Amino acid sequence: MPAPVRPGGRRGWDPLVRLTHWTIALAILVNGALLRDGTVAHVWIGYAALSALILRLLWGLIAPGPAALAEMPLAPSRALAHLRDLVAWRWHDSPGHTPLGAWMAVAIWSLLAVTAVTGLVLEADPFPDDDTHHAWSDYRYDHDDDEEDEDDDAHETGGAGAEVAEDLHEAAATGLLILAALHVAGVGLESRLSGVNLAKGMIFNRRERTKR
Amino acid sequence: MSHPPGDLRRASLLAAALALQTLAAVFFIGDVASDYRWIGFDPHTTFEAMVALALIIGIGISALEMRRTLLRIRRAEEALSLASGAFAEVIEARFAGWGLTPAEADVALFTLKGLETSEIAALRSAAESTVRAQLTRVFAKSGAGSRAQFVALFVEDLLENARAGPDSGL
């Protein structure tokens, strides 16, 4: 006899998680891969990503259910068990983050924080026509196509601190792109393994089973 | 019945509002910080700091409201699944009371879901005549004279459920 009740879909991520997730995803993609330099758009997208991160972490303190930071399965033993499951091609149902997924989120949030803060150090002014901006950013706006000279410019006008900030900014940004690629691969793998299209849970209110 | 669709829209709107509020707050706090660095504490900086504080309080209130909305959605969904679960139990109990065989129960359930005889036959990979015969036995056992009467036997239960409502404990 078939189940009398329609097998219902699973609850997806809440709207705030989805909004902040895609804001950050888009920001990493655009700022990391398309707009490499300190253009005004780059600065604005950076602010949007930073506020999405702050909002997500704040929401993590208040949110009910799997969006709560306290609900994230961060115990190392669980991550190891999850890794063993993946190797053995087994799958355990989890309503929110998977153990490795939770660590991925923490890693991306941390690198995003580093990228955003160093970005603020490098160029905090979202309105460059203002009279408070730094001489160094002026220079950058005129010469942003000239990658080779950047390090020298920073050294000349921004000092060693700015140079360190810039190196950190670029390293963290590269790390974010790598983590984002790993994250997409991980979601694909888990979806394949579980038969649940996990990406749908990040787009729609609920995720349905794609196969039994 | 509660209104999860309205609450879902409300939650999405709150999320969008929160995103804008936070972006504004980040800019404002940044502005206050740089003003403080260049100018120090003057009436202008103090006022801006107050606006920033108001923004932060607003964000907190919106986030709490968001939490309440999500919890309300969850409760409504749970009540709904409880109601449909309860209804499924009613159906099963009736089928058992009439002494339906598993095959007859299957056919009866598909009929309740509004499937035609030909569709049920296709789903069960059985001949249409078999399904028709099973359905005749289902009607005989339940005392219904027709498909419509058979479905009506359960509508009564649903109406009972709706009157009781998901909030009255079921």
Side-chain angles (χ1 to χ4, degrees), chain A residues 20-35:
Chain A
T20 52
H21 173 273
W22 291 112
T23 303
I24 289 171
L26 209 65
I28 289 175
L29 195 69
V30 172
N31 263 6
L34 303 174
L35 282 173

Side-chain angles (χ1 to χ4, degrees), chain A residues 114-115 117-123 136 159-172:
Chain A
V114 171
T115 314
V117 170
T118 50
L120 284 178
V121 170
L122 286 171
E123 173 53 67
W136 178 63
E163 200 183 344
V164 169
E166 179 156 8
D167 287 348
L168 261 176
H169 190 70
E170 282 177 5

